[in-house]
Amino acid sequence: MKFTGYVTVRLNSQRLPGKSIMKLNNIPLVERAIRTLNQVDDIGETVLYCTDNKIENYISKDLCYKRLDRPNFTNSDTSSFNEVLSSAISRIDTDYIVFLCCTSPFVRPETISEMIKKIKTGTYDSAFSAKEDRTFCWFNGAPLNYTLMGDIPRTQDLIPVMIETSGLYIFSKDLFQSHSRRIGFNPYVKSLGIIESWDIDTPEDFVIAKAFSEIKDDIFG
């Protein structure tokens, strides 16, 4: 099985301009993502999909990756994950894509390795990261994981709601080309803690990420 890391970047983000090259502990987010993928033994190659070659100025020369030109039409705010990957997938020679979003800076190489190993067993056809929310959740105007009838349960007794982090997906090239899906029919769901699952979309998210970056080693070891 061939696993290829995949990082896609556009430099014209709207909610947090230039977020892919913002720095945590003096390291740009795009470099952090590539560095993480470089530390996973099962990943043979990492592809950086970006329109602007200036992105390479924000990545250390010691890292291994191949940049593919991303077409301008995929840089729109309305471009979806599937539209962007569809424009690249035929140019990536691999069995599996390991998509790591550079705005998820705390994903650990060990987490990616675990997810790849689950797929290699043949039990799962894909894998993605999620975070557990064991609290009172509502959806479409009604409770999602508890009932209003009877006693109110303790939060620790609630069935947790799993929320995709949007930061890490592993799926086969064939799955995506055949079904336009990044989550297969029997996925492995890897539950992450609050720091590892953190995603940066807004200025407030980045402020919190800076605080996390100062304490994560105390938690992860």
Side-chain angles (χ1 to χ4, degrees):
M1 291 182 183
K2 182 178 180 181
F3 292 84
T4 298
Y6 172 76
V7 178
T8 184
V9 172
R10 65 185 181 93
L11 297 178
N12 61 335
S13 56
Q14 298 297 310
R15 283 182 295 180
L16 187 57
K19 65 181 179 180
S20 299
I21 57 176
M22 296 178 74
K23 296 180 179 181
L24 285 178
N25 292 343
N26 208 36
I27 302 175
L29 296 183
V30 63
E31 176 177 325
R32 293 176 72 100
I34 294 173
R35 187 173 295 279
T36 296
L37 292 168
N38 276 190
Q39 295 176 62
V40 179
D41 290 339
D42 284 305
I43 293 178
E45 180 181 53
T46 292
V47 169
L48 172 63
Y49 198 43
C50 184
T51 303
D52 196 334
N53 61 10
K54 291 197 298 289
I55 192 67
E56 297 180 14
N57 297 330
Y58 299 93
I59 303 168
S60 293
K61 304 301 182 185
D62 66 320
L63 296 181
C64 296
Y65 67 96
K66 177 176 70 175
R67 189 179 73 83
L68 292 181
D69 283 321
R70 174 174 163 170
N72 283 320
F73 76 85
T74 66
N75 288 328
S76 166
D77 277 344
T78 59
S79 296
S80 69
F81 176 94
N82 280 18
E83 289 172 330
V84 177
L85 184 55
S86 291
S87 69
I89 193 74
S90 64
R91 301 161 63 191
I92 302 175
D93 178 21
T94 193
D95 298 314
Y96 284 85
I97 296 289
V98 182
F99 167 72
L100 178 60
C101 185
C102 63
T103 57
S104 295
F106 304 120
V107 173
R108 297 182 296 163
E110 295 86 352
T111 295
I112 301 174
S113 293
E114 176 191 335
M115 293 165 68
I116 289 176
K117 284 179 172 57
K118 293 292 185 180
I119 290 175
K120 290 175 74 173
T121 66
T123 303
Y124 304 97
D125 64 356
S126 56
F128 68 94
S129 60
K131 56 184 176 181
E132 283 190 9
D133 202 337
R134 196 181 293 271
T135 189
F136 301 106
C137 298
W138 283 58
F139 181 72
N140 280 345
L144 183 63
N145 60 341
Y146 76 106
T147 176
L148 297 175
M149 303 296 292
D151 291 335
I152 298 174
R154 301 180 305 169
T155 53
Q156 59 262 45
D157 295 330
L158 289 170
I159 297 173
V161 174
M162 302 301 290
I163 303 168
E164 292 178 42
T165 69
S166 299
L168 177 59
Y169 296 86
I170 305 175
F171 52 92
S172 73
K173 180 177 178 177
D174 180 67
L175 172 72
F176 184 82
Q177 290 183 315
S178 300
H179 301 283
S180 296
R181 291 171 60 150
R182 62 183 176 186
I183 296 177
F185 301 93
N186 185 33
Y188 173 68
V189 184
K190 173 61 178 174
S191 179
L192 304 182
I194 186 172
I195 294 181
E196 198 173 6
S197 67
W198 196 255
D199 185 65
I200 300 170
D201 265 332
T202 67
E204 292 81 5
D205 292 336
F206 186 70
V207 169
I208 295 171
K210 288 199 293 185
F212 281 161
S213 69
E214 296 175 359
I215 64 172
K216 73 176 184 65
D217 289 343
D218 293 334
I219 295 174
F220 291 152

